């Protein structure tokens, strides 16, 4: 049996992602809101930003946020959250080079994304390239012990009852 494609799974999950009980997502949002390294006038690149819960929060606190996600449905939902002109949404795979000039951003934010990436070095290298010298790569992920134990993002499709991951 072929492993599910994360892009397809997240497109299916988008409709219920924000209403599903998800302690990891909620803790991730809480911790991001307590950080002190992203500043008010920063230009921020968000990787794998999903339905925009954190993007909405960032957009009200920074100069500008560009947020990306690999699927189409998650950013489509995020567009409905952004009431400010301080946010831009794009469909983009974190494992490919980003169409941004070197040194464009003050911060890159990637949370709960790398569990879906087989080779993480290109993600870090590209984050470094688009960051201004000495600025912030904010990374929050599942603990490796949880991942080794088989824990990863998953959901049950409300419409079909099928499991997705």
């Amino acid at each position: 049996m072929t492993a599910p494609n994360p892009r397809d799974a997240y497109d299916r999950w988008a409709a219920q992602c924000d209403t599903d009980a998800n302690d990891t997502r909620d803790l991730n949002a809480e911790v991001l809101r307590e950080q002190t390294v992203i500043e008010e006038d920063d230009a921020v690149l968000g990787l794998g930003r999903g339905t925009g819960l954190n993007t909405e929060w960032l957009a009200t606190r920074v100069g500008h946020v560009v947020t990306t996600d690999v699927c189409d449905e998650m950013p489509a939902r995020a567009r409905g959250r952004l009431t400010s002109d301080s946010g831009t949404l794009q469909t983009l795979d974190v494992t490919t080079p980003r169409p941004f000039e070197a040194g464009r951003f003050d911060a890159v934010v990637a949370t709960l994304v790398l569990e879906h990436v087989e080779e993480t070095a290109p993600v870090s290298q590209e984050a470094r390239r688009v960051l201004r010298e000495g600025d912030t790569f904010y990374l929050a992920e599942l603990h490796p012990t949880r991942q080794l134990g088989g824990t990863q993002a998953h959901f049950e499709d409300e419409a079909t009852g099928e499991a997705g991951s």
Side-chain angles (χ1 to χ4, degrees), residues 2 7 10-11 13 17 19 32-33 39 41 46 50-51 66 78 84 91 99 110 112-113 116 120 146 149 161-162 165:
T2 305
R7 179 177 298 149
Y10 275 86
D11 272 338
W13 191 19
C17 182
T19 56
L32 177 62
R33 283 155 178 73
E39 298 179 2
D41 292 328
T51 62
V66 175
S84 166
T91 301
L112 306 177
V113 173
H116 304 291
T120 60
R146 285 187 67 191
E162 293 178 24
S165 61

Side-chain angles (χ1 to χ4, degrees), residues 3 6 22 24 36 69 84 94-95 105 108 111 115 118 128 138:
N22 188 326
T24 302
T36 59
D69 203 282
S84 166
V94 299
T95 63
F105 296 99
V108 173
T111 62
E115 69 182 276
E118 190 170 327
R128 182 176 185 194
Y138 179 92

Side-chain angles (χ1 to χ4, degrees), residues 135-150:
D135 275 317
T136 302
F137 182 19
Y138 179 92
L139 176 66
E141 279 299 328
L142 292 175
H143 192 280
T145 302
R146 285 187 67 191
Q147 289 179 306
L148 287 173

Side-chain angles (χ1 to χ4, degrees), residues 7 28 36 42 44 60 62 80:
R7 179 177 298 149
N28 174 60
T36 59
D42 281 353
V44 176
T60 64
V62 301

Side-chain angles (χ1 to χ4, degrees), residues 119-130:
E119 294 293 327
T120 60
V123 178
S124 299
Q125 291 165 350
E126 186 64 4
R128 182 176 185 194
R129 185 188 71 78
V130 301

Side-chain angles (χ1 to χ4, degrees), residues 58-82:
L58 280 168
T60 64
R61 285 160 177 77
V62 301
H64 188 79
V65 61
V66 175
T67 182
T68 67
D69 203 282
V70 70
C71 68
D72 295 320
E73 289 302 314
M74 292 281 189
R77 296 200 175 266
R79 276 183 193 84
R81 293 199 126 87
L82 293 178

